Amino acid sequence: VAIGHPAICNFVRVAAEVYGITGEDRVYQGMTLAFDFSVEETWVPWMAGATLVPRPAGPGLLGAELDAFLRERRVTALCCVPTLLATLDESGSALRFLLVSGESCPQDLISRWHRPGRRFLNVYGPTEATVTATWTLLDPDRPVTIGVPLPTYAVVLLDPRENAALPPGAMGEIGIAGIGLASGYLNRPDLTDRAFVPDFLGVPGNPSGRIYRTGDLGRINPRGEIEHHGRIDT
């Protein structure tokens, strides 16, 4: 996936404004840089003036080993997949910021980790939309959604079979528009043309002039938040 500088610079800027990481935070950096999710725990914190705390060389940490490392290094912010968060002990944790992505976040995990004073985010986005396109604050008293678009992004619900928009409440294919769209698939114009379609809706603030068809099913609920309902092809 080829992503231009304007797209990644835009994402880092808007994510730093929205997420709530501060210059006082110490952010765990544990992902390989080959994983686009690593941008969440490196460039976004740097944009906010936070300190990065890289994991030690060797295999990745989880469970009791990661718990001990986070406490010893006074880490206050963690970005990870829900599966990793589930291995940690929430009791007495000093983490004031959590961000999960890459998998569905179970309701019981939210209940375990939610507490006053802790900012707990769920974010969603394919690589083709430059790391992350939507975000929400997680609350154990509300159903899990993928939230609303980040500033400069737009989400539309499309008919999976044709270029037509669906009304709020209808189940359809999640489409993403905005400056954050990738240029396409390197040396694969056939795949690029299939996934990145011309913006037939005239989405406001969409300098790319395209909509990315994610292949994910979703709907917009009465609160205006996007529900994710898995892949179209499964």
Side-chain angles (χ1 to χ4, degrees), residues 1-18:
V1 179
I3 295 174
H5 283 184
I8 189 64
C9 290
N10 173 77
F11 166 70
V12 169
R13 177 182 62 81
V14 299
E17 292 171 356
V18 168

Side-chain angles (χ1 to χ4, degrees), residues 124 146 157-158 160 166 170-174 214-219 226-234:
Y124 158 85
I146 57 173
L157 270 295
L158 305 174
L166 299 177
M171 188 78 73
E173 182 176 7
I174 297 173
T214 64
D216 290 336
L217 276 176
R219 65 183 288 269
I226 305 150
E227 299 173 357
H228 186 272
H229 289 276
R231 296 288 296 171
I232 289 174
D233 53 5
T234 58

